[in-house]
Amino acid sequence: MVCIFLTRSVVTSTRLSPRPEFSSTDLSYIQQGERALQRALSILQHPPSWQAEPVLDAGAAVSSAVLPGLGRVFRVEAVLAAPLGWLHRQLFEELEQMPRWNPTLSRVEVLQRPGEDTLVTHEVTSASPVGRRDFVSVRHRRRTQAAVYLVGTATRLERLPAQEGCIRAETRLSCIALQPLAGDPGCTRVTWLLSVDLKGWIPSAVTDRVLPRCQADFIGHLRRHLSATARP
């Protein structure tokens, strides 16, 4: 079980201060990311009654809960033998390189950079039993002394319709919390919250099996990438 302790000062620091150099569109994306962050922090601060999912990976614990406005949210918890900074780079700063080590993605593109901590991205999945999906998302990060939070949520971009052969899915909420492991800064505790609407004619029972499997697979791909990468 992972406990994430957030002080009032940490939560307060996530509020957006007006920045006149941002366009109204940039501010809209940043504010969308901040709202997703606050929602994720609320779940982490006040955890619901998580129900364990079947063990999918010996190195990852998966659980779920049904939350108002989000539906079923899946949570995966794992400890990875990598420093927080390395994982932060792989999962945010070098996001477009993700398909090189995560075969479930065929393409990730950063479309806009509204601010230093905010991205607008387009992700296309590889073929799978439920078909191909693409996502347009706002991704946002918050760095504190205790952790790094990487959140994502669906957004709209009129100039980018769904790709041929894909169904446009929506991430209701994604939040990856990275914390240095107490007593071992070379390891990182990872907590990932995920709620996705895959769209299309997919029964909820199928979605409820696919999403935790995808999370466990992602942790496995990240572990293999970690093993194959020489880190400083």
Side-chain angles (χ1 to χ4, degrees), residues 1-4 47-48 50 61 63 75 77 189 191:
M1 182 68 68
V2 173
C3 295
I4 297 180
W50 297 105
S63 53
R75 180 187 66 174
E77 301 169 293
R189 191 178 298 277
T191 304

Side-chain angles (χ1 to χ4, degrees), residues 61-165:
V62 183
S63 53
S64 69
V66 177
L67 302 180
L70 288 174
R72 188 166 295 280
V73 178
F74 293 93
R75 180 187 66 174
V76 64
E77 301 169 293
V79 173
L80 298 179
L84 185 153
W86 185 86
L87 289 170
H88 177 200
R89 287 194 299 274
Q90 303 304 310
L91 300 177
F92 191 86
E93 296 175 355
E94 299 177 6
L95 194 65
E96 291 182 313
Q97 307 304 314
M98 194 177 289
R100 294 185 177 184
W101 54 265
N102 181 1
T104 65
L105 291 171
S106 65
R107 185 171 77 253
V108 177
E109 181 181 2
V110 175
L111 303 174
Q112 297 183 34
R113 298 180 183 269
E116 180 183 356
D117 297 310
T118 308
L119 307 171
V120 178
T121 64
H122 181 224
E123 307 100 48
V124 181
T125 70
S126 303
S128 75
V130 297
R132 299 181 69 205
R133 297 293 189 274
D134 76 332
F135 299 80
V136 177
S137 307
V138 168
R139 293 175 179 263
H140 190 69
R141 69 179 168 187
R142 176 62 59 195
R143 291 171 284 188
T144 73
Q145 291 184 341
V148 171
Y149 303 94
L150 308 175
V151 299
T153 190
T155 194
R156 296 190 183 279
L157 205 60
E158 296 299 331
R159 65 181 176 85
L160 189 67
Q163 302 299 286
E164 185 177 356

Side-chain angles (χ1 to χ4, degrees), residues 148-197:
V148 171
Y149 303 94
L150 308 175
V151 299
T153 190
T155 194
R156 296 190 183 279
L157 205 60
E158 296 299 331
R159 65 181 176 85
L160 189 67
Q163 302 299 286
E164 185 177 356
C166 292
I167 294 174
R168 175 65 49 83
E170 294 184 353
T171 300
R172 298 188 188 103
L173 179 66
S174 173
C175 176
I176 298 178
L178 305 174
Q179 294 176 291
L181 189 64
D184 188 352
C187 293
T188 303
R189 191 178 298 277
V190 179
T191 304
W192 181 15
L193 306 178
L194 181 65
S195 175
V196 173
D197 184 352

Side-chain angles (χ1 to χ4, degrees), residues 23-24 30 33 46 60 84 89 114 117 125 134 154 157 169 184 199 206 215 217-218 220 226 231:
S23 70
S24 60
I30 295 169
H46 309 288
L84 185 153
R89 287 194 299 274
D117 297 310
T125 70
D134 76 332
L157 205 60
D184 188 352
K199 302 295 186 179
V206 174
Q215 285 181 288
D217 287 347
F218 177 84
L226 172 63
R231 304 184 313 281

